[in-house]
Amino acid sequence: MKKIIYLATVFMLLSISALEGFVIVLMAYTFYLIARGELKPYGRLLSPLLLHAIPTILSTLLYTPSQTGKAIERSIFLLIYPLGGKEKLGYEFFKRFNQLLIFVGVLLIPVVLYNFYKDGVPAPLWGGVFEVGFLYSFFSISALSMFLFTKRKIYFVLFLIFIGFVFASMRRSAIMELIFTLLLIIYLMRKIVSKKFVIATLTFIGFSTVITFSVLVQKDLRFSTMAEVLLGKKTLNEETLDVISSIRWTIFKAGLEVVKKDLKEGNYLPLLIGHGLNSGYYLEPKSPVGGTYESVFLLSEFIEKGILGLLGILWLWWAYYSYLLKLKLKKEDDILLVPSLSFLSTMLIGSVFTMFWDAMLPWMLLVFRVAEKQLESS
């Protein structure tokens, strides 16, 4: 199991195509082990994932069959989640795993800087600025965990450097997801770390947020418009909403018209299971940005996956966050589990104004299940 996690992590960092190919292998392996009775299809997130997967596949097959490959990728691929519970890996594994992520974070710094120098956009080995935000959120959380576990200052320095890359990405979703997840981590470790650390971290988060917002107001039209609205220099109307939200207000209105039309015409099956992935190309009014009505995930997921798919996602949110909020980490070794437990949070928070999907999501679910298994048997 250790080799599987390490390989999945290396593939994820090198190439998303390599990760997806490996996930296909893991998916077949997971189903094989379940069929032979060697792996229990268990985990608090499994039922929500199944409820999400069924309408995603059905609606896409019925209404947008050309997107079937994407539907499998965004539903069936997530079902490798139980494989993470195959065996208990021990705290030493989590220590090595965090060190691996930190090491890669350091190695990728010149790559990100070179891509920024060459193209004006920071990027890792694949993807772009959004992937910088995601990956360096992972790296920073691992560095923070190792600092708290070892008390070595080098890890704290790396934590600050990695956070700098997240804020430098200037992606609202990346900044929002990291801040929320850091607050969640403080809560998880409330019985382990000192009150001084909690106060210092909260102060740091607040200070960094203010500084970043101030810089973005100067450099980003969306933030400058938001500031002008807050200061009363501009009126909050549809025009300013579209600027602030990157036209998500217009997209939201188009999505609402789709739902209203379904209700008016009695399209009960699409309301139940959705219109299928990327149905924004075919519905009326069409999505202003292509295949999805990417505004607020409650609407965009409802259109594609219906009430059943949306309920699956909301159930997953509830199962995940209720588990973490009830979790009581008391041993010092438990600090090593925090990154694996919290990586999924970065994706979920980042999806609020986008969609429930990221190419790294199968990896996040697998890693979460590994940590979940460790806590089940400790």
Side-chain angles (χ1 to χ4, degrees), residues 252 295-303 306 310 314 351-352 354:
F252 183 79
S295 50
V296 178
F297 83 101
L298 294 172
L299 179 64
S300 56
E301 298 296 336
F302 176 64
I303 291 172
L310 179 58
L314 293 176
S351 72
V352 171
T354 54

Side-chain angles (χ1 to χ4, degrees), residues 76-113:
I76 304 300
F77 278 17
L78 307 185
L79 300 182
I80 67 168
Y81 162 71
L83 183 61
K86 184 174 183 293
E87 59 188 87
K88 179 181 175 180
L89 298 184
Y91 287 102
E92 185 64 23
F93 162 78
F94 290 96
K95 180 181 177 181
R96 301 300 179 195
F97 180 59
N98 289 326
Q99 289 174 329
L100 171 64
L101 290 174
I102 295 167
F103 178 68
V104 173
V106 173
L107 288 182
L108 285 179
I109 288 175
V111 177
V112 174
L113 294 177

